[in-house]
Amino acid sequence: MVATPSPDQNRLGRLARFLGVGDTAFAIEFGTGIDPVLNARVHRAAALIREATFPGVVETVPSFRSLLVHYDPLATGAAALQEAMAGLDLGEAVVSAPERVWVIPTLYGGEAGPDLDEVARATGLSPAEVVARHADTLFRVYVQGFLPGFAYLGVLPPELELPRLTTPRVRVPAGSVAIAQRMSGVYPVESPGGWRLIGNTPLRFFDHAMTPPTLFAPGDGVRFRPVEAGEHAAIRAAVARGDYAPEQEAGR
Amino acid sequence: MSARLLVTQPGPQTTVQDLGRVGAQAYGVPVCGALDMVALRLANALVGNEPGAAALECRLIGPAFTVEGGPVRLALAGAEATIQVTCEVARGDETRSYPAWRAIDVPEGAGVRIGTLRGSGAAVLAVAGGFDVPVVLNSRATDLKGGFGGLGGRALTAGDRLPVGTGAPEGPCLELPRPPSLAFDGMLRVVPGPQDDAFTQDGLATFLGSTYRVSREADRMGIRLEGAPLAFHTSADITSDGIATGAIQVPGSGLPIVLLADHQTVGGYAKIATVISADLPRAGRLTPGAELRFRAVSVTEAEEARRALEREIAALVASLTPVRAAAEIDLAALYATNLISGVVTACDPE
């Protein structure tokens, strides 16, 4: 006989702990690692808090295993908000197939991906095998952040897992497709960066004039499609003209 | 006709800032905004603006500019500095000097030069009507790293023309009779966490017990500190999570970095503590070489400290009064102006 779940086992207060982040924010931490179930809970909590419109909540920032709640200390207090949020019912954590899957045309190796050969050497694979494993992976958008439009895409096959570069690059070109540890990502703008660069895509991921300003949304699927230099250049030109619609695969 | 500032010397890093860009951090968009919110609010109050009107944040040395297209009323707050206003008069150029913490009416055609900032590395220059740059994601603040907001997403350069919003100033110029002290007592209050458990007991004791110095690597993103490194119980690396302004992250070197307005939205280094919001303006004023210590307080104490700061700001705004006769203006000019209302326009015809 299946036990009936107790009514409060899915309450936020039972699944997470609150951590102090000064007097204008606190963290709701669901765990410590990168895990699709934890991440689903984070995004679920963000949605519930948005719907509940707690007075004084300014915005929330979801990340892998934790939700940062920004609040106005002149309108409310951490204690009162945490007490109210602890009672939210998150329901059963469900990691469903993505509703949409973006297809990211990617030129791998060479100048576009200067670390591809080193990644191949370090993993004991051929460059073609590294590309195949990266391009065969259906990634999920876990977190957006650190840069506007940067998405942490998980998870990378374990055989491609490598630490970040010991010395980060001062300048990583916009569109660089990169990997580090169990994650992949695309640098949306030129930036310093410590991830290993294996390719480049001409797509744009952030436009401050769009609502929302990013291409991806949390939970989206992402797949990389290898392209040759000619197609990469053609797509880059189309993006610059403003007449390239990013490809999507059917999701669930 | 709307006025503009034609920038002749930009200063080391002068940017358009307001109270910051909230609501898009979930997309990776940083908050930005003025490092010293008290200065922003006081500068805006001095020229009759709403507290969050877009103003210029000046770092170390202010800009120089010419006023075009109409007169402007301006005020500098957050640092001591000499503001020189140069006008063409019948007998040639005439320059008058004014202090911070008061409004100044500057006629069309006049040149303004703001000198070296004293007492803070980040002052705010407000103009009546605010700066009329486009609103991007609910804010006019410059995002230097993202390259948007403010004037073209960058710091000012010579030749820029900054549009001033409409809304002619009414009434006399105001001054702040008792400006807030900029003297730094060397203490920033912090709430420990969210990753204080990544450090050893010794590491935590070192953090709260030693003196740190602001290094040369200090900008709008953060301040790298020099001093005793902190020992980790686990490691500097965590699964990336959200960052609040004031967070003190500690990379593998063990040396703390205080994150300021332009900090990234999420990050993968352990954060030992967060500077409380009441002390963030003080952190924003720090310049390389400054020494500081940290003192732990509870969230409740931090929230109370913030309410106390708000009461202080409200009292300062309530204390604004019409400018009294300024000593540097010669007698003839004084007699030519209305001392009772304090209407003193820079470069009134003599």
Side-chain angles (χ1 to χ4, degrees):
Chain A
M1 186 171 158
V2 180
T4 312
S6 86
D8 61 24
Q9 76 173 29
N10 292 322
R11 301 268 173 214
L12 187 149
R14 295 282 295 273
L15 295 169
R17 60 179 184 152
F18 295 102
L19 299 173
V21 184
D23 61 314
T24 62
F26 55 84
I28 304 176
E29 191 184 86
F30 289 88
T32 52
I34 295 175
D35 174 302
V37 172
L38 291 182
N39 192 242
R41 285 199 175 121
V42 169
H43 289 296
R44 179 87 186 116
L48 288 176
I49 289 168
R50 191 164 51 240
E51 284 162 20
T53 61
F54 294 99
V57 170
V58 175
E59 63 182 312
T60 65
V61 181
S63 52
F64 294 100
R65 40 70 187 234
S66 160
L67 182 69
L68 189 61
V69 178
H70 291 274
Y71 69 92
D72 176 359
L74 304 174
T76 184
L81 281 178
Q82 289 172 10
E83 193 186 335
M85 288 177 185
L88 289 172
D89 183 359
L90 297 179
E92 293 296 328
V94 179
V95 183
S96 47
E99 282 180 38
R100 56 179 185 182
V101 177
W102 298 99
V103 179
I104 309 301
T106 303
L107 175 61
Y108 284 97
E111 281 179 28
D115 295 332
L116 179 64
D117 291 343
E118 170 59 20
V119 168
R121 196 198 55 76
T123 56
L125 300 168
S126 71
E129 287 170 325
V130 171
V131 172
R133 278 171 173 70
H134 189 258
D136 284 348
T137 303
L138 173 59
F139 290 98
R140 294 291 292 266
V141 175
Y142 274 66
V143 179
Q144 298 205 81
F146 124 79
L147 285 173
F150 187 93
Y152 291 82
L153 306 172
V155 290
L156 202 63
E159 60 269 31
L160 295 185
E161 185 175 344
L162 291 170
R164 286 179 287 188
L165 298 172
T166 324
T167 309
R169 284 185 170 84
V170 176
R171 274 203 301 277
V172 173
S176 293
V177 175
I179 59 172
Q181 294 157 339
R182 298 297 304 281
M183 291 284 135
S184 190
V186 185
Y187 286 85
V189 291
E190 184 181 285
S191 147
W195 289 25
R196 290 164 201 267
L197 314 183
I198 61 170
N200 184 278
T201 176
L203 296 201
R204 286 188 183 150
F205 298 89
F206 177 78
D207 180 348
H208 61 70
M210 292 193 311
T211 308
T214 52
L215 180 65
F216 297 149
D220 278 357
V222 176
R223 200 186 287 287
F224 293 89
R225 177 170 69 82
V227 297
E228 298 301 322
E231 186 178 355
H232 181 270
I235 295 172
R236 180 184 294 282
V239 168
R241 286 194 307 271
D243 61 4
Y244 183 82
E247 258 178 88
Q248 283 187 37
E249 266 174 23
R252 65 165 181 255
Chain B
M1 178 160 50
S2 62
R4 299 172 302 278
L5 306 189
L6 169 61
V7 177
T8 50
Q9 281 178 29
Q13 189 186 68
T14 306
T15 54
V16 176
Q17 299 294 346
D18 59 15
L19 287 169
R21 182 169 281 115
V22 293
Q25 290 191 77
Y27 303 108
V29 179
V31 174
C32 306
L35 290 174
D36 183 347
M37 295 297 179
V38 177
L40 177 76
R41 290 159 66 176
L42 291 176
N44 274 325
L46 280 163
V47 295
N49 289 345
E50 291 296 309
L56 287 180
E57 178 178 271
C58 315
R59 307 299 310 278
L60 305 174
I61 305 169
F65 50 85
T66 306
V67 174
E68 295 182 338
V72 298
R73 176 174 290 185
L74 54 79
L76 184 80
E80 305 299 339
T82 303
I83 302 155
Q84 293 183 314
V85 180
T86 304
C87 312
E88 266 182 50
V89 292
R91 62 167 189 254
D93 282 357
E94 182 187 285
T95 298
R96 292 181 188 175
S97 296
Y98 299 85
W101 311 107
R102 60 157 286 181
I104 306 163
D105 278 337
V106 179
E108 181 177 355
V112 177
R113 175 178 301 274
I114 295 160
T116 303
L117 307 185
R118 299 182 301 274
S120 168
V124 174
L125 180 78
V127 293
F131 288 104
D132 188 19
V133 296
V135 173
V136 178
L137 296 169
N138 297 321
S139 166
R140 292 186 166 90
T142 308
D143 182 335
L144 288 169
K145 200 166 57 158
F148 57 87
L151 193 73
R154 55 172 176 76
L156 300 190
T157 60
D160 281 340
R161 282 188 163 82
L162 264 173
V164 174
T166 49
E170 286 171 16
C173 280
L174 299 176
E175 70 176 349
L176 186 60
R178 286 172 302 282
S181 167
L182 296 170
F184 179 55
D185 66 2
M187 186 69 76
L188 292 177
R189 289 167 289 178
V190 297
V191 174
Q195 280 96 33
D196 47 333
D197 58 359
F199 299 85
T200 62
Q201 283 304 316
D202 274 1
L204 287 167
T206 303
F207 174 68
L208 294 170
S210 48
T211 298
Y212 287 92
R213 197 173 44 255
V214 176
S215 76
R216 305 292 306 175
E217 289 179 80
D219 60 18
R220 287 186 41 86
M221 280 187 68
I223 300 171
R224 274 179 197 271
L225 299 177
E226 294 166 345
L230 307 178
F232 291 97
H233 167 61
T234 53
S235 95
D237 291 318
I238 60 162
T239 302
S240 292
D241 69 357
I243 294 177
T245 304
I248 300 171
Q249 74 175 18
V250 187
S253 67
L255 291 175
I257 302 172
V258 181
L259 296 171
L260 299 178
D262 285 4
H263 67 83
Q264 60 193 50
T265 54
V266 299
Y269 291 123
K271 296 171 285 293
I272 192 168
T274 310
V275 177
I276 71 172
S277 66
D279 285 357
L280 279 177
R282 291 141 48 83
R285 292 170 200 149
L286 293 172
T287 50
E291 295 197 330
L292 60 108
R293 299 164 72 89
F294 297 104
R295 182 162 72 81
V297 298
S298 69
V299 171
T300 309
E301 288 171 301
E303 289 173 348
E304 176 46 43
R306 174 61 184 277
R307 286 191 287 271
L309 176 66
E310 292 296 321
R311 286 192 295 272
E312 244 176 80
I313 295 169
L316 287 168
V317 170
S319 77
L320 296 180
T321 53
V323 173
R324 292 155 301 165
E328 68 269 29
I329 297 176
D330 64 50
L331 278 178
L334 273 181
Y335 289 128
T337 56
N338 180 346
L339 294 179
I340 307 299
S341 73
V343 178
V344 178
T345 299
C347 313
D348 270 345
E350 289 178 73

